[in-house]
Structures are given as structure tokens and as C-alpha cells.
């Protein structure tokens, strides 16, 4: 057992391997919770989308499609760098892992910046339900519903991504401090799971909010 | 169980296939297919999700219990969707208001 | 199983560290159990006071004690406090926390810090709900139905909603912790089918917590958004559907009943085995019936919406599915009865509660079949029949199980015995008081008395008087354990490590247990409840 491992080994566990497996299982179970958390919103969206096809299509046309698509690519890039960071620490390359984690967090910030640019554009177009919403469309009610779900779901996703950025940055700092090596990197693995999950959610958000707007 | 040591090549291929699926998604969106568009888009997102979960999150190489958790989460989400939809799809089938 | 040498006056988890800091920063699952007991006892008393005020108001047919508005707030807060601040955490967070590591031969739960965090999160949510009460309370009922909760109610819906949202996360943390602990920390030889049935039921409970609670969280979040930003997610004006909220709410709240009652079923299995000196009959069936209840419990939520505008076809499906849950529940009752048969039954206090549970849960379950039937439900929806039905499950079932478990394991938790005769008397008082409170409510409901009304026709007064009298007796019955268990904490006679001569790893270590439970990891060689095979070790020959 290395020094880093001995430091990180906590109470109920006898071996680092045991602790690692347990931590990973914990994260997976938490992700199951998150699936149902977002799941509630997806179901509600699906119900309304079924009833108000036209109004929701109207809403999709108001999306900033270019930024949304770029953001999808941006997040895919971040999953890639996150995986490479784990790959690097598996091979005991601490510096490379540190840099890749930093890049991952930075890409996350780029995503958030673009997302808030979008929010600002919606604000200027008076499409923010509850704060400033205007529509001359006869489908105004359903269109507003669409925007409520858009803000709720992408907002919740953005909160998750911000937490992810915080976690990844923490991992980068701890890597720089030499807390992890090829034999012990549980915390990075667990963070990676969370990061990937948040990316998966975005894939679905992109599909339901943006894709119909291309027509 | 130690993480599987996938090669850089595998990660690169995953990355490229995710990008390709994104491109495919945008491309298909321009073809008018009615409600099928949304269905196709969600399916492509599901494929991306599967690639991320199985390779990047190493779901393919994990112990059975992890796959059970993944399957369970999916199954429970489907329960939520299906049983809720039994209500919304069959509403107004009877010619009685509100039934 | 291993036998341990106990050294007199060896430090235990209570004495090893002293001072308030050692309690508030503890990561010891046993101390966190006690933190939870303190918290939920406080909330139970608070919810109980609300219940007593409700019963007092209903003594007379007119509204005289409190105004109708206050009455609405009383039953809402009673429900919210009892469900989320008492019943949901009751057995899992206290007895579950204490016993899971001990029963599987582990030093602690998988994530001790997360365990402590769950208590703090629980307290923050609880305090927020208290803050909501201080600001005037909430009048939506515990169910938060839209559009009343989103558009019309002028009370503290948002604050209370955020409070419950936060409490939900503590429940998720507990669930994650328990699932992972049972999967990963079982001692060598402790196979799944050697586990005490209490663990099977807690495992199933945790699955429900993890998969149902997030949906409640998101439903509450939507209500809060709708109120704070004045947008309409469930508002018919914008095309929203109020019934959609009910779908999401009951996707959690029906399975939540199993979060409350499954742990009690586990407790009853332990007690019935210990006081019959027999292995639970049909162990595998009882174990899998817990899992079955947890899974089937997710398929029935629509039975709460038969008259809410749900489609008839959907209602039919939910009605049929609801009957399915009766099967695993009945399996449990039959197997407990079969365990008693030809056992050497002794009627100690925990056993009284367990038998009480079996009887009352059976009544609650059978009346559940009534309300699951479409036609009958139309007649009794939102009447006292439903109130009586779910109190038989949640109070007659869950609370009886909690009290039984508390008595059964109190010697382990505190190291001391409680006064047996007083405890037996209390158990009988609780049983009588409970039935007197809630049986008349079946009659009231059948006659048509709707729930949530402060006034009613005078001809029903005698039934309400019976119910209020029962509630008063019940209150006495609940107060007694509070007093004598506290007394026994310091003054009761020493219990020794295994006062019931029961099987189970928790009875092999000293009472109160040492800080890390087991000096060396035990190796399990017996199946659960092996009273026949462990006669000599237990001194039963
Ligand atoms: Cu129900």
C-alpha cells in the first residue's frame, strides 16, 4: 500500500480496492436517482409535447440552433478529455492528468458561457416565462409551456454541470498535490462517472428542444 | 475490480462516433418526417448515451451489480413513462367529458 | 459465529468519546442513530399535538375550537410532519442505521460521512418546515394538489416545499448508503440468504427511496417554480394539466407507504423469530416478498386518481395492478403465522407490538382491497374510510413496528432493560387506543363523512367522540415509552449482551456495542434464525 493509498483509506474498509469498488457503486446508485430526477421532467415534457405538437414546434423554432449544436460538440469534447484524464492517471501520468482535468473544467465553463449567452438572447427576445414573455401567436400558452420546460431542464442541467466543474477542478488540484497515482485514483473515477452522466443528459435535452427547430 | 485499461484509440473512436451521431442527428432533422423526427432524435441521443455509458463509463466491463443498477434506472424510468402515458393516451376515448 | 470475550467496563460507543462535539461531528452509525431518534421524536410529538388538536376540534359538530382556516393548516402540518419528518426516516434512519453494520458484521456503513451529512440535511429541511409553520403554516394538505397549491393557496407553500425537497435528499443519501453497505460490506460467510430478514426489507426500502424520492423532488420543484415565477406548469390556463402533478406525486407517495411499512415488516420478522424460538417459516418467500412489494409498489400509483380525471382505461389497469401488491403482503402474514405455529412463543413487549402489527396491518391491507376496487373507491374517495385505511397501515403498521423494534433493540442501544410490566401495559394501551381512534373512522367514512372538514352533521358526533377518546388513550400509550425508555437509559438494569437469547450478529457483541462493533471481522457459519442449531451457544438447552 502506497502512502497516498494509506492516507485515503477510510474507516469501514480493509483494502483500497474494496473502497474503490464501493465508491463506484455509490456513484452509480446516485446516478440512478438522478435518472429519475430528470425523468420526472422528461415525462412531463412528453405529455405536453404530445398534446401541443404545434405550439412546441413553435418553441423549438425560437432556439438558437447554432449555439446549441456547438454546445453539444463542446460537451462531447469534454467527455473525451475526461476519459483521457482517467486514462492518464491509470498510467501514472500525473501531469498529463492534471492538464486534461483542467481542460475538461475549462470546456465545461465554455459550455456554461455559451448557455448563458443563449439565455440572454431569449431574454432580449422576451421569451422568458415569468420574467418577460411575449408572444402574438395563438399558440402562446403551449409555447410558454415549452419555454418553461426549456429553462427548467437546461437550467437544472447547467447547475449539475457547474457542480461538475467544481468537482473536476478539485480533482485537478488534488492531482497537482500528488494525491493520486496509478494505483489510487478513485475520486477521479467517481467524478468522471458524474461528468459523463451530465453529458448524457445534455444529449437528450438537445434532441427534444433543438432538433425539431431545424425544420 | 480495476478499471479496464482501454487504449487511446478506443477513446478516440468513441469521441469520433459521438461527433458523427451529432452530425447525423442534425442532418436527419432537415428531413420532414412528422413525429418520427423527434423519435429519431431521441433514439440517436440514446445511442450516444449507450456509447458513453458502456465505454467511457466502463459499463461494459463492470461487475454485474453495476449493470443491474444501470438497467434498473432505465426500467424505472420506463415504468414512469409507460404508466403515465396509459392515462394520457387513453383519455377521451370514452365519449364522456373528462373520461 | 464467533463468541467474544467481554471485559467489564470496556469503553463502548457511548463512553469512548465525550462532549457535544463528539456527537455533532460523529460518523459512527450508532451515534447517528441516536441523533435521528432525538430528531424524529421531537417531530413526532409536534405532529401528535397537531393530531390531538384536530381530534379536539372534531369533538363537536361545529367549528368552535379553531377556525376552518386553522383547521386546514393543522391537518396539513400533521400530515407533512408525520410523513416526512417521522415515518419516512423512522425505522431506516434509526434502527436501520444502528443495525445494518452490526447485522452484516461491518464496522460502519459504507459512507460514514454521507451518513452524518444525511442527518444535517434532514435537520435543515426539518427546520425549514418549522420556519414555514412559524410564518403561518400551509393549508394544502400533505398532498400539495395543484392548482390549489400553485394558484390559490396564499400560505407558505414554497418554504414548506423546499423543506420537503431537502428532506428528500437526506432520504436518498440514506438509501444509497444502505444499498451499497449491504452489497459491499457483508462479513465473510454472510451470504444473501443468511441475512436477517430485516436487512432484506431495508434493502428493498432503500431501492424505493433511491428511485421514488427524486420524482417527488422534481414535482415539488415544479410547484415551487410555478409559484415563485408565476408560470403555469400545471395551470389549465396555459394548457397545463393539474392531474400530471398527481401522477408525479403518487409515483413517489404510493411507494413511500412501503418506505414506511417495509422496515416494520422486517422488524416483525426478527421479533417473531426471536420470541417463537424458530426460524421464520419460508425464509426465501418472506425475503423475496419484500423485493416484490418494492417493485410492485411502483406500478399502482394511479389508484389515487380514480376520480381525479384519469382515463377509465388507465384506472382499470391501476386497479388490477393494485391487487397484485396484496399477494406478497399476504405471503408475509401467512409466513409469520406459520412461524408462530408450534413455536415456544413468549409474549414479551416486542412480541406484543409485533402481534399488534400483524393484526392491524391485515385490517389495513384488507381495506386497501376495498379502495383499490374502482366502484367502491368512487363511494369512499376522500372520506374517513380512506383515512382509517391508511392510518391502519401507517400507524397500526409502521409505528407499531417502530415501537416493537425500539423495545427489542433498546437493550442493545442503551445497554439497559426497560421496565417490562410498564412496557406491556403501554403496548396494550397503544393497541386499544389505536383501534378506538380509527375503527369508528371506517364507519364514518362508509356513512359519507368527507376528510378535511372541521364541521359535520350532528348524528355522527358519537363516532367522533369515540375517535377522540381513542386518540387521547393513544397519546398516553405513546407518552409512556417516551418516559420509561428515557428513564431506563440511565437507571434500567443492565441488559447483558443478549437478553432475548436471540440469534444474529448484533447480539454477539456487548451492549452497548464498542465503537467499531467487531474487534475482528466475524465469520458467519449459520443461517439466520438458526435456533435449532445454536441451542447451546444461546443457552437454550
Ligand atoms: Cu397508494
Amino acid at each position: 500500500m502506497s502512502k497516498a493509498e494509506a492516507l485515503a483509506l477510510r474507516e469501514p474498509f480493509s483494502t483500497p480496492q474494496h473502497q474503490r469498488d464501493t465508491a463506484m457503486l455509490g456513484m452509480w446508485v446516485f446516478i440512478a436517482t438522478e435518472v429519475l430526477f430528470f425523468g420526472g421532467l422528461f415525462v412531463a415534457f412528453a405529455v405536453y409535447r404530445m398534446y401541443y405538437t404545434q405550439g412546441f414546434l413553435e418553441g423549438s423554432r425560437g432556439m438558437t440552433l447554432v449555439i446549441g449544436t456547438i454546445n453539444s460538440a463542446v460537451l462531447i469534447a469534454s467527455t473525451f478529455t475526461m476519459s483521457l484524464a482517467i486514462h492518464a492517471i491509470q498510467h501514472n501520468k500525473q501531469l498529463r492528468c492534471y492538464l486534461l482535468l483542467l481542460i475538461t473544467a475549462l470546456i465545461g465553463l465554455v459550455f456554461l458561457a455559451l448557455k448563458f449567452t443563449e439565455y440572454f438572447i431569449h431574454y432580449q427576445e422576451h421569451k422568458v416565462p415569468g420574467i418577460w414573455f411575449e408572444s402574438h401567436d395563438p399558440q402562446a400558452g403551449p409555447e410558454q409551456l415549452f419555454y418553461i420546460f426549456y429553462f427548467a431542464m437546461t437550467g437544472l442541467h447547467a447547475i449539475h454541470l457547474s457542480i461538475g466543474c467544481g468537482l473536476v477542478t478539485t480533482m485537478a488540484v488534488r492531482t497537482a498535490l500528488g494525491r493520486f497515482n496509478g494505483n489510487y485514483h478513485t475520486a477521479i473515477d467517481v467524478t468522471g462517472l458524474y461528468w459523463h452522466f451530465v453529458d448524457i443528459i445534455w444529449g437528450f435535452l438537445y434532441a427534444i428542444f433543438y432538433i425539431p427547430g431545424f425544420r | 475490480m480495476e478499471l479496464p485499461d482501454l487504449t487511446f484509440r478506443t477513446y478516440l473512436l468513441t469521441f469520433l462516433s459521438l461527433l458523427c451521431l451529432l452530425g447525423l442527428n442534425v442532418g436527419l432533422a432537415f428531413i420532414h418526417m412528422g413525429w418520427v423526427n423527434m423519435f429519431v432524435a431521441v433514439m440517436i441521443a440514446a445511442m450516444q448515451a449507450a456509447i458513453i455509458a458502456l465505454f467511457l463509463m466502463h459499463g461494459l466491463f463492470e461487475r454485474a451489480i453495476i449493470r443491474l443498477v444501470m438497467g434498473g434506472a432505465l426500467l424505472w424510468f420506463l415504468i414512469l413513462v409507460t404508466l403515465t402515458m396509459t392515462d394520457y393516451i387513453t383519455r377521451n376515448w370514452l365519449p364522456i367529458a373528462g373520461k | 459465529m464467533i463468541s467474544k470475550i467481554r471485559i467489564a467496563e470496556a469503553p463502548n460507543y457511548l463512553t469512548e468519546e465525550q462532549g457535544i462535539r463528539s456527537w455533532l461531528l460523529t460518523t459512527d452509525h450508532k451515534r447517528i442513530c441516536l441523533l435521528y431518534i432525538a430528531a424524529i421524536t421531537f417531530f413526532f410529538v409536534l405532529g401528535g399535538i397537531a393530531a390531538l388538536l384536530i381530534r379536539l376540534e372534531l369533538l363537536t359538530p361545529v367549528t368552535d375550537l379553531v377556525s376552518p382556516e386553522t383547521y386546514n393548516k393543522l391537518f396539513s402540518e400533521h400530515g407533512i410532519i408525520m410523513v416526512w419528518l417521522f415515518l419516512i426516516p423512522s425505522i431506516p434512519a434509526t434502527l436501520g442505521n444502528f443495525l445494518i453494520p452490526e447485522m452484516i458484521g461491518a464496522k460502519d456503513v459504507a459512507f460514514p460521512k454521507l451518513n452524518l451529512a444525511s442527518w444535517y440535511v434532514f435537520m435543515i429541511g426539518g427546520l425549514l418546515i418549522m420556519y414555514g409553520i412559524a410564518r403561518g403554516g400551509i393549508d394544502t394538505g400533505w398532498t400539495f394538489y395543484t392548482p390549489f397549491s400553485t394558484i390559490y393557496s396564499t400560505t407558505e407553500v414554497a418554504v414548506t416545499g423546499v423543506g420537503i425537497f431537502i428532506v428528500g435528499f437526506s432520504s436518498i443519501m440514506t438509501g444509497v448508503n444502505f444499498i451499497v453497505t449491504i452489497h459491499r460490506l457483508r462479513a465473510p460467510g454472510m451470504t444473501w440468504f443468511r441475512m436477517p430478514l430485516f436487512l432484506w426489507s431495508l434493502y428493498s426500502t432503500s431501492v424505493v427511496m433511491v428511485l421514488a424520492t427524486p420524482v417527488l423532488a422534481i414535482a415539488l420543484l415544479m410547484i415551487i417554480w410555478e409559484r415563485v415565477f408565476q408560470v403555469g406548469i400545471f395551470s389549465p390556463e396555459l394548457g397545463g394539466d393539474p392531474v400530471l402533478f398527481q401522477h408525479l406525486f403518487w409515483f413517489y407517495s404510493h411507494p413511500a407507504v412501503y418506505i414506511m411499512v417495509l422496515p416494520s415488516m422486517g422488524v416483525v420478522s426478527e421479533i417473531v423469530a426471536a420470541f417463537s424460538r424458530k426460524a421464520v417459516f419460508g425464509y426465501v418467500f418472506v425475503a423475496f416478498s419484500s423485493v416484490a412489494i418494492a417493485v410492485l409498489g411502483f406500478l399502482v400509483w394511479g389508484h389515487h386518481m380514480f376520480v381525479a380525471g384519469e382515463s377509465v382505461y388507465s384506472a382499470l389497469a391501476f386497479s388490477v395492478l393494485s391487487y397484485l401488491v396484496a399477494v406478497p403482503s399476504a405471503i408475509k402474514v401467512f409466513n409469520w403465522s406459520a412461524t408462530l405455529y408450534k413455536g415456544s412463543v413468549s409474549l414479551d413487549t416486542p412480541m406484543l407490538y409485533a402481534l399488534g402489527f400483524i393484526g392491524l396491518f391485515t385490517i389495513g391491507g384488507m381495506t386497501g382491497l376495498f379502495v383499490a376496487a374502482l366502484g367502491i373507491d368512487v363511494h369512499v374517495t376522500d372520506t374517513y374510510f380512506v383515512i382509517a385505511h391508511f392510518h391502519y397501515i401507517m400507524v397500526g403498521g409502521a409505528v407499531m413496528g417502530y415501537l416493537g423494534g425500539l423495545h427489542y433493540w433498546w437493550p442493545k442501544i442503551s445497554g439497559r432493560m426497560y421496565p417490562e410490566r410498564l412496557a406491556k401495559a403501554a403496548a396494550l394501551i397503544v393497541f386499544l387506543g389505536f383501534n378506538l381512534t380509527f375503527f369508528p373512522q371506517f364507519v364514518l367514512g362508509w356513512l359519507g363523512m368527507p376528510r378535511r372538514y372541521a364541521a359535520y352533521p350532528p348524528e355522527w358526533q358519537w363516532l367522533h367522540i369515540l375517535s377522540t377518546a381513542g386518540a387521547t388513550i393513544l397519546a398516553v400509550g405513546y407518552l409512556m415509552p417516551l418516559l420509561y425508555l428515557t428513564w431506563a437509559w440511565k437507571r434500567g438494569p443492565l441488559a447483558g449482551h443478549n437478553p432475548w437469547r436471540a440469534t444474529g450478529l448484533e447480539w454477539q457483541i456487548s451492549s452497548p456495542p464498542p465503537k467499531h462493533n467487531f474487534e475482528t471481522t466475524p465469520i458467519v457459519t449459520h443461517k439466520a434464525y438458526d435456533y435449532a442449531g445454536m441451542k447451546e451457544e444461546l443457552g437454550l438447552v
Side-chain angles (χ1 to χ4, degrees), chain C residues 91-116:
Chain C
I91 294 181
T94 60
L95 297 174
N97 234 331
F98 195 96
L99 290 162
I100 287 180
E102 304 204 335
M103 283 181 162
I104 60 175
K107 285 182 175 154
D108 206 321
V109 291
F111 309 115
K113 281 185 187 163
L114 188 72
N115 201 10
L116 179 66

Side-chain angles (χ1 to χ4, degrees), chain C residues 87 90-92 95 198 201-202 205 257-271 332 336 353-354 357-358 361 393-405 409:
Chain C
L87 283 166
S90 63
I91 294 181
L95 297 174
F198 184 56
S201 71
L202 277 176
T205 308
V257 175
Y258 301 118
I259 300 180
M260 305 173 205
V261 85
L262 268 172
S264 280
M265 292 171 157
V267 168
V268 169
S269 295
E270 296 301 310
I271 295 175
K332 281 192 193 282
W336 290 325
Y353 281 110
F357 172 98
I358 297 173
F361 174 77
I393 300 285
M394 282 147 82
V395 186
V399 181
M400 290 292 251
Y402 174 63
L403 285 176
W409 283 294

Side-chain angles (χ1 to χ4, degrees), chain C residues 66-369:
Chain C
V66 293
S67 66
E69 289 75 27
T70 312
Y71 183 81
N72 291 347
K73 289 179 178 173
L74 279 176
F75 70 68
S76 304
E77 295 293 355
H78 165 69
I80 288 168
I81 292 173
M82 285 306 200
V83 169
W84 283 296
L85 299 181
F86 176 71
L87 283 166
I88 293 286
S90 63
I91 294 181
T94 60
L95 297 174
N97 234 331
F98 195 96
L99 290 162
I100 287 180
E102 304 204 335
M103 283 181 162
I104 60 175
K107 285 182 175 154
D108 206 321
V109 291
F111 309 115
K113 281 185 187 163
L114 188 72
N115 201 10
L116 179 66
S118 91
W119 185 76
Y120 278 100
V121 170
F122 177 73
M123 291 312 283
I124 291 168
L127 288 177
L128 216 54
I129 295 170
M130 296 300 107
Y131 174 66
I133 295 176
R135 288 181 46 141
I138 179 175
D139 66 349
T140 60
W142 76 283
T143 47
F144 286 87
Y145 273 10
T146 52
F148 182 71
S149 61
T150 44
I151 300 178
Y152 303 106
S153 175
T154 52
T155 53
E156 298 299 323
V157 178
V159 174
T160 314
V162 174
I164 297 169
F165 179 86
I166 294 172
V167 166
F169 276 93
S170 106
S171 164
I172 290 173
M173 288 172 175
T174 305
V176 171
N177 223 334
F178 286 2
I179 290 177
V180 176
T181 306
I182 293 176
H183 266 289
R184 304 292 306 151
L185 295 185
R186 279 172 289 127
M190 178 57 87
T191 59
W192 281 88
F193 293 102
R194 278 183 186 163
M195 286 198 321
L197 289 164
F198 184 56
L199 296 183
W200 278 92
S201 71
L202 277 176
Y203 184 81
S204 313
T205 308
S206 307
V207 171
V208 180
M209 283 174 162
V210 165
L211 293 173
T213 318
V215 179
L216 171 78
I218 205 70
L220 288 172
L221 213 51
M222 286 194 236
I223 282 196
I224 295 160
W225 281 328
E226 183 157 352
R227 279 187 76 92
V228 172
F229 294 110
Q230 299 289 310
V231 295
I233 300 174
F234 303 114
S235 154
E237 282 169 45
L238 288 174
D241 179 20
V243 178
L244 182 60
F245 171 77
Q246 297 187 24
H247 275 293
L248 297 176
F249 180 81
W250 289 111
F251 180 87
Y252 165 80
S253 291
H254 183 83
V257 175
Y258 301 118
I259 300 180
M260 305 173 205
V261 85
L262 268 172
S264 280
M265 292 171 157
V267 168
V268 169
S269 295
E270 296 301 310
I271 295 175
V272 165
F275 294 97
S276 307
R277 299 261 168 263
K278 267 175 72 186
V280 172
F281 181 83
Y283 171 95
V284 178
F285 284 92
V286 180
F288 278 115
S289 65
S290 292
V291 181
I293 288 175
V295 174
L296 294 175
F298 277 96
L299 309 178
V300 304
W301 79 80
H303 63 212
H304 294 270
M305 299 150 61
F306 287 161
V307 300
E310 184 182 39
S311 101
V312 172
Y313 300 97
S314 185
L316 255 170
F318 278 121
S319 174
V320 172
L321 287 168
S322 298
Y323 282 101
L324 287 183
V325 189
V327 177
S329 309
I331 287 177
K332 281 192 193 282
V333 172
F334 290 138
N335 282 303
W336 290 325
S337 313
T339 310
L340 295 171
Y341 180 68
K342 287 194 174 169
S344 50
V345 176
S346 49
L347 293 176
D348 297 88
T349 312
M351 189 61 158
L352 292 183
Y353 281 110
L355 295 175
F357 172 98
I358 297 173
L360 299 179
F361 174 77
T362 305
I363 297 176
M366 303 278 248
T367 51
L369 297 178

Side-chain angles (χ1 to χ4, degrees), chain B residues 33-54:
Chain B
M33 294 180 287
W35 64 271
V36 180
N37 275 93
M38 171 74 92
F39 180 76
V40 168
V42 172
M43 280 306 125
I44 291 179
M47 279 161 71
Q48 289 179 321
I51 291 174
I52 296 179
L54 294 180

